[in-house]
C-alpha cells in the first residue's frame, strides 16, 4: 500500500517551486498534484494520455475542447488524450489531483 497526505504533498510541491508534483507512478497510471494560484495562467498543452482531474480546493473555469464549465472543490473532470484544455478565471487558489492513464511520460 502507498498512502499520501495532501498537506504533505502540497508542502513538497511548494518546496520544489513547481506547479505540478507527480507523487505516484505505476505501470498503468500516474498521479500528481497540480496547483494554480488565483489569477494565474494555465500553461498546459494537450497530453498524450487520458486524464481525470479531481478538484481538491479552489474555484475556476475549465475549457476542454469547445466546452467550458465552472469547477470547485469536489468537481471531477475527464479530459481525453490529445484534447486541448485549460483552467482559467481562477478566482481561488486551485489544487487539483491529476490522474494520467497510461502514466505521464
Amino acid at each position: 500500500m502507498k498512502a499520501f497526505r495532501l498537506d504533505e504533498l502540497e508542502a513538497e510541491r511548494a518546496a520544489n517551486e513547481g506547479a505540478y508534483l507527480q507523487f505516484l507512478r505505476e505501470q498503468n497510471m500516474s498521479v500528481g498534484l497540480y496547483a494554480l494560484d488565483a489569477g494565474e495562467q494555465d500553461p498546459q498543452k494537450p497530453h498524450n494520455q487520458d486524464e481525470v482531474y479531481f478538484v481538491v480546493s479552489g474555484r475556476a473555469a475549465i475549457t476542454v475542447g469547445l466546452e467550458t464549465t465552472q469547477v470547485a472543490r469536489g468537481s471531477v473532470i475527464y479530459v481525453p488524450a490529445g484534447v486541448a484544455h485549460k483552467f482559467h478565471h481562477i478566482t481561488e487558489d486551485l489544487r487539483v489531483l491529476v490522474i494520467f492513464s497510461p502514466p505521464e511520460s
Side-chain angles (χ1 to χ4, degrees), residues 4-92:
F4 306 92
R5 290 178 42 111
L6 283 172
D7 57 342
E8 293 171 354
L9 295 172
E10 174 62 12
E12 183 179 347
R13 185 206 57 79
N16 290 322
E17 299 180 6
Y20 184 72
L21 171 70
Q22 180 178 280
F23 62 88
L24 179 65
R25 184 179 183 86
E26 297 294 334
Q27 182 178 355
N28 296 313
M29 62 179 268
S30 62
V31 183
L33 177 64
Y34 189 45
L36 293 166
D37 290 337
E40 196 171 350
Q41 298 295 312
D42 183 359
Q44 290 193 80
K45 294 186 173 26
H47 304 284
N48 295 323
Q49 305 84 1
D50 287 341
E51 290 179 85
V52 173
Y53 289 116
F54 174 74
V55 178
V56 175
S57 62
R59 291 187 178 279
I62 186 170
T63 298
V64 178
L66 299 175
E67 297 180 84
T68 298
T69 192
Q70 299 297 311
V71 296
R73 185 176 148 232
S75 297
V76 178
I77 305 99
Y78 167 68
V79 180
V83 175
H85 58 286
K86 288 201 183 299
F87 289 100
H88 52 93
H89 295 94
I90 302 167
T91 58
E92 293 177 15

